[in-house]
């Protein structure tokens, strides 16, 4: 342990960085647009934090390490049992109780963001036997992944008003960490080599204090001075300069946490006050409904109005390094229109209109939409999914039906998108599972519905020839749905020969396409190593055909629909303690 006088951490650049688990127990942000920071929560700790836009994760995780200095080291996410509660029906703030499995102590955390600035606030209260608590040491462990990556982060220690502040910087983004109680000891280290967890895990003591760790995969560690109090607020602030990050941090910490929480909850309660009252039709008096509505709203960016990402998460994040910057924190028009449509159904027509305008601006010159893209419009994956071209037309139609388009004219976008569907269909280069090209029941359903909606817009403009052409092409697709996507040789359920496939595989550029749903094989891309990955297309099903019913293209009692539901139930339905799942 002779390195404790060394100022620069050893072991750089650290082990290869990874993101955290893709599962989330909670998502939080203030409702106000001035608070441009979002946090996620999983297993009792803060995971990815996004700043200054909803598609830019800047942090892997932030948690406490707990030790008595001699016999144990607890990591919140690994060793403590966790209970999470929302603060109110509408607010996306949380109370988390992490408890020692032996019942000796608990850490009660209330997590919100500053209602008006880019700072995550975590009020912390320690409970337990005072004699036991007096021997505990509590450390904040922060893993910056600034500018969407773990490599090339720079950690260092500064001081303000005789208090130590942990900082990280990379490519024009700064992070600052401090609390309402001082850090008694701090260190910046390289993950897996000289970070705080590696230090404490060896002998339950903090032996290393490094004041900087440049250009690597780093972690920041600070020991909280709990001599005077068992209550404190930890702040994590961001900025475009060091000065801005530190100013934001200490301005947030200067206001009592209770005042922040009151304003935070008032913002969300006002925003949810006028949604449609569906609580009486639910089993929980509308708690899930209200929380879900706020959750959808939270996925809209605060700098690019109307830009909704699919999810504040990185799937399979624990296996992903910097080479793959993507995740679900991107715009998919399919997910975005579904979110906007749900918000519209709840009674908010202003937010979905912002979404439609954003999509119109993001449309490509040929009328299509990128498979997914950053919120500034830059494509990430460049595949083509025809349903994602159809969905913006459907959103425009729903807003028209609600007389909610105001002074915005979506017709140019609609016409370009409809033309794209005609030119590039009916085979979609990718279907909604983003793996296979071919004839997809769910894609065909969205395309037929979108073309009919586009025809209605055209007819309202007096463009009868265009309207008639779009309707005739939609009829062409409609009359081929079964011949393209219904097998007559089904083997999954005895006695049911005719049912919908997930997709009939075919190349989009094949001039003589395969149109027999009894033929063809589908490749399942994400099969485990060594497992079967090629299957007859007629044996792979999903519930995508139900889009035909949702859009009114097929009746719910259509015999093929009914039989397909029986197949899906037999193959995909799983009973859980909380009810059936597919």
């Amino acid at each position: 342990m002779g390195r404790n006088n060394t100022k620069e951490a050893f072991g750089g650049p650290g082990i290869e960085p990874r993101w955290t688990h893709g599962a989330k127990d909670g998502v939080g942000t203030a409702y106000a647009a001035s608070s441009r920071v979002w946090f996620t929560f999983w297993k009792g700790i803060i995971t990815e934090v996004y700043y200054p836009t909803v598609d830019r994760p800047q942090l892997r995780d932030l948690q406490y390490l707990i030790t008595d200095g001699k016999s144990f080291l607890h990591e919140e996410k690994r060793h403590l049992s966790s209970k999470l509660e929302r603060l109110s029906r509408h607010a996306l703030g949380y109370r988390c109780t992490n408890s020692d499995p032996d019942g000796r102590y608990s850490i009660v955390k209330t997590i919100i963001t500053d209602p008006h600035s880019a700072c995550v606030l975590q009020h912390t209260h320690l409970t337990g036997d005072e004699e036991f608590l007096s021997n505990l040491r509590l450390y904040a462990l922060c893993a910056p992944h600034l500018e969407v990556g773990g490599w090339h982060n720079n950690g260092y220690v500064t001081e303000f008003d005789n208090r130590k502040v942990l900082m990280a910087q990379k490519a024009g983004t700064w992070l600052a960490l401090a609390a309402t109680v001082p850090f008694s000891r701090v260190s910046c280290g390289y993950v897996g080599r000289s970070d705080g967890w590696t230090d404490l895990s060896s002998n339950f003591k903090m032996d290393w204090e490094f004041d900087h760790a440049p250009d690597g995969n780093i972690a920041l560690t600070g020991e909280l001075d709990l001599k005077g109090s068992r209550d404190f607020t930890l702040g994590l602030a961001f900025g475009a300069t060091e000065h801005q990050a530190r100013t934001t941090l200490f301005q947030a910490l200067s206001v009592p946490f209770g005042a922040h929480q009151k304003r935070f909850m008032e913002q969300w309660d006002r925003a949810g006050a006028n949604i449609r009252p569906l609580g009486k039709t639910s089993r929980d008096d509308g708690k899930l409904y209200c929380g879900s509505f706020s959750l959808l709203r939270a996925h809209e960016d605060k700098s690019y109005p109307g830009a909704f990402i699919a999810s504040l998460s990185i799937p399979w994040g624990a296996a992903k390094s910097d080479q793959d910057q993507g995740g679900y924190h991107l715009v998919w028009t399919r997910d975005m229109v579904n979110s906007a449509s749900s918000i519209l159904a709840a009674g908010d027509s202003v937010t979905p209109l912002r979404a439609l305008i954003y999509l119109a601006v993001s449309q490509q010159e040929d009328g299509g939409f990128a498979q997914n893209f950053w919120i500034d419009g830059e494509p990430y994956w460049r595949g083509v999914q025809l349903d994602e071209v159809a969905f913006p037309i459907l959103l425009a139609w729903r807003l028209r039906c609600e007389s909610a388009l105001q002074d915005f004219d979506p017709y140019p976008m609609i016409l370009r998108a409809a033309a794209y569907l005609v030119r590039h269909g009916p085979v979609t280069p990718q279907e909604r599972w983003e793996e296979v090209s071919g004839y997809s029941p769910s894609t065909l359903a969205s395309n037929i519905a979108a073309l009919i909606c586009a025809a209605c817009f055209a007819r309202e403009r007096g463009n009868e020839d265009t309207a008639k052409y779009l309707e005739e092409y939609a009829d062409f697709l409609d009359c081929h749905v079964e011949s393209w996507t219904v097998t007559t040789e089904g083997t999954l359920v005895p006695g049911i020969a005719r049912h919908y496939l997930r997709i009939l595989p075919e190349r989009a550029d094949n001039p003589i396409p395969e149109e027999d749903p009894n033929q063809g094989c589908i490749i399942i891309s994400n099969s485990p190593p060594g497992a079967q990955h090629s299957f007859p297309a007629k044996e792979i099903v999903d519930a995508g055909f139900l889009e035909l019913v949702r859009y009114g293209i097929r009746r719910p009692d259509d015999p093929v629909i009914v039989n397909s539901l029986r197949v899906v139930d037999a193959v995909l339905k799983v009973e859980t303690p909380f009810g059936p799942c597919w």
Side-chain angles (χ1 to χ4, degrees):
M1 300 301 177
R3 297 179 184 268
N4 61 321
N5 293 321
T6 304
K7 292 300 181 182
E8 180 174 325
F10 65 91
I15 63 174
E16 186 174 5
R18 291 288 186 268
W19 289 99
T20 190
H21 201 282
K24 302 299 168 197
D25 298 322
V27 166
T29 187
Y31 183 74
S34 56
S35 180
R36 296 184 301 148
V37 66
W38 297 255
F39 68 86
T40 62
F41 211 79
W42 175 67
K43 292 196 74 173
I45 69 168
I46 291 172
T47 50
E48 296 100 339
V49 174
Y50 295 75
Y51 161 88
T53 52
V54 75
D55 61 345
R56 306 292 292 177
Q58 307 286 357
L59 185 85
R60 181 184 189 275
D61 55 26
L62 171 63
Q63 66 171 322
Y64 292 128
L65 304 178
I66 310 98
T67 180
D68 63 354
K70 55 185 178 182
S71 64
F72 73 87
L73 173 66
H74 284 169
E75 194 178 343
E76 278 191 289
K77 70 179 179 182
R78 197 181 302 269
H79 300 110
L80 304 188
S81 60
S82 182
K83 177 184 177 183
L84 189 66
E85 307 165 274
R86 289 219 329 272
L87 296 180
S88 75
R89 293 165 65 87
H90 297 288
L92 295 179
Y94 304 89
R95 181 174 294 106
C96 177
T97 303
N98 290 335
S99 301
D100 169 37
D102 294 327
R104 296 169 295 178
Y105 71 92
S106 292
I107 302 173
V108 182
K109 306 189 293 188
T110 305
I111 308 99
I112 60 173
T113 67
D114 184 304
H116 296 292
S117 68
C119 184
V120 179
L121 296 168
Q122 179 171 273
H123 183 266
T124 306
H125 173 61
L126 270 67
T127 66
D129 179 74
E130 185 55 37
E131 183 178 354
F132 183 81
L133 293 181
S134 65
N135 293 316
L136 284 187
R137 301 291 181 266
L138 188 70
Y139 301 87
L141 179 66
C142 176
H145 272 43
L146 296 175
E147 287 304 296
V148 202
W151 286 130
H152 306 300
N153 283 259
N154 303 277
Y156 59 99
V157 179
T158 65
E159 288 194 6
F160 171 75
D161 197 21
N162 294 319
R163 297 172 62 184
K164 295 174 181 177
V165 183
L166 287 163
M167 303 289 305
Q169 179 273 332
K170 175 182 172 182
T173 297
W174 273 258
L175 169 158
L177 181 70
T180 51
V181 297
F183 288 133
S184 55
R185 307 183 76 184
V186 293
S187 187
C188 308
Y190 295 104
V191 174
R193 301 289 184 264
S194 54
D195 65 284
W197 185 90
T198 302
D199 185 6
L200 289 164
S201 64
S202 64
N203 65 353
F204 314 124
K205 299 181 185 296
M206 185 172 177
D207 298 303
W208 301 329
E209 291 184 74
F210 304 115
D211 60 18
H212 61 286
D215 194 19
N217 178 21
I218 65 167
L220 311 176
T221 307
E223 180 180 357
L224 284 308
D225 186 349
L226 302 179
K227 293 177 182 177
S229 176
R230 299 287 182 247
D231 292 86
F232 64 91
T233 300
L234 185 71
L236 176 71
F238 296 86
T241 65
E242 177 185 306
H243 187 280
Q244 185 182 39
R246 293 206 304 172
T247 300
T248 298
L249 173 64
F250 285 103
Q251 286 181 345
L253 292 177
S254 71
V255 176
F257 183 84
H260 278 315
Q261 182 176 335
K262 181 175 182 291
R263 285 193 291 269
F264 181 90
M265 294 174 68
E266 287 173 348
Q267 286 181 1
W268 277 110
D269 289 344
R270 284 196 304 270
N274 296 319
I275 63 174
R276 290 195 170 106
L278 303 181
K280 292 182 179 180
T281 62
S282 70
R283 296 182 179 181
D284 65 351
D285 194 33
K287 291 180 182 178
L288 179 60
Y289 164 58
C290 292
S292 299
F293 182 76
S294 296
L295 183 67
L296 290 175
R297 275 182 161 176
H299 284 74
E300 180 185 9
D301 190 63
K302 299 177 182 182
S303 300
Y304 290 77
F308 282 80
I309 60 166
S311 173
L312 285 153
S313 64
I314 301 173
W316 304 285
K320 289 190 175 183
S321 185
D322 289 8
Q323 286 72 31
D324 184 357
Q325 289 198 330
Y328 291 153
H329 52 93
L330 295 159
V331 176
W332 272 265
T333 65
R334 176 175 49 250
D335 299 68
M336 180 169 165
V337 169
N338 283 329
S339 295
S341 299
S342 300
I343 292 171
L344 181 64
D348 174 2
S349 61
V350 175
T351 303
L353 178 59
R354 287 201 301 268
L356 179 64
I357 295 171
Y358 171 82
L359 286 172
V361 173
S362 304
Q363 188 179 36
Q364 297 177 333
E365 290 185 6
D366 62 0
F369 290 86
Q371 178 180 353
N372 55 25
F373 46 97
W374 302 101
I375 61 169
D376 64 1
E378 178 65 26
Y380 184 67
W381 290 338
R382 297 175 182 270
V384 174
Q385 299 172 15
L386 293 183
D387 64 337
E388 293 205 294
V389 182
F391 270 106
I393 302 175
L394 298 175
L395 178 58
W397 174 258
R398 292 183 178 117
L399 285 164
R400 173 199 172 278
C401 293
E402 296 286 337
S403 300
L405 287 169
Q406 298 186 36
D407 290 338
F408 178 65
D409 181 10
Y411 187 58
M413 180 274 289
I414 290 169
L415 213 55
R416 288 194 297 269
Y420 189 97
L421 293 175
V422 172
R423 290 197 309 270
H424 294 274
V427 171
T428 181
Q430 289 183 356
E431 34 94 72
R432 64 181 186 146
W433 297 113
E434 305 189 306
E435 295 175 345
V436 183
S437 63
Y439 297 96
S440 157
S442 63
T443 301
L444 288 169
S446 63
N447 292 6
I448 293 167
L451 290 166
I452 294 298
C453 292
C456 292
F457 277 101
R459 185 166 285 113
E460 287 178 348
R461 300 301 178 97
N463 198 341
E464 184 62 31
D465 289 344
T466 298
K468 186 177 180 180
Y469 176 80
L470 293 175
E471 288 171 340
E472 289 177 349
Y473 184 72
D475 287 343
F476 163 75
L477 298 180
D478 179 44
C479 71
H480 283 82
V481 167
E482 280 81 6
S483 64
W484 287 335
T485 65
V486 173
T487 180
T488 59
E489 300 176 359
T491 60
L492 296 174
V493 176
I496 300 180
R498 298 188 74 228
H499 62 78
Y500 282 98
L501 319 175
R502 170 185 146 185
I503 190 170
L504 172 60
E506 184 51 270
R507 296 196 332 268
D509 60 352
N510 187 355
I512 310 175
E514 174 61 68
E515 297 184 348
D516 182 356
N518 297 318
Q519 303 298 317
C521 289
I522 184 172
I523 304 298
I524 306 298
S525 300
N526 293 316
S527 300
Q532 181 181 354
H533 64 278
S534 178
F535 298 85
K538 63 185 179 182
E539 294 182 1
I540 301 299
V541 296
D542 71 358
F545 63 89
L546 287 176
E547 295 294 283
L548 294 163
V549 177
R550 295 187 183 106
Y551 294 129
I553 299 166
R554 292 293 181 271
R555 293 175 54 86
D557 58 356
D558 179 282
V560 181
I561 293 289
V562 172
N563 280 338
S564 298
L565 277 174
R566 291 173 59 194
V567 172
V568 165
D569 283 349
V571 175
L572 301 180
K573 185 178 180 180
V574 177
E575 294 292 344
T576 77
F578 305 99
C581 181
W582 287 263

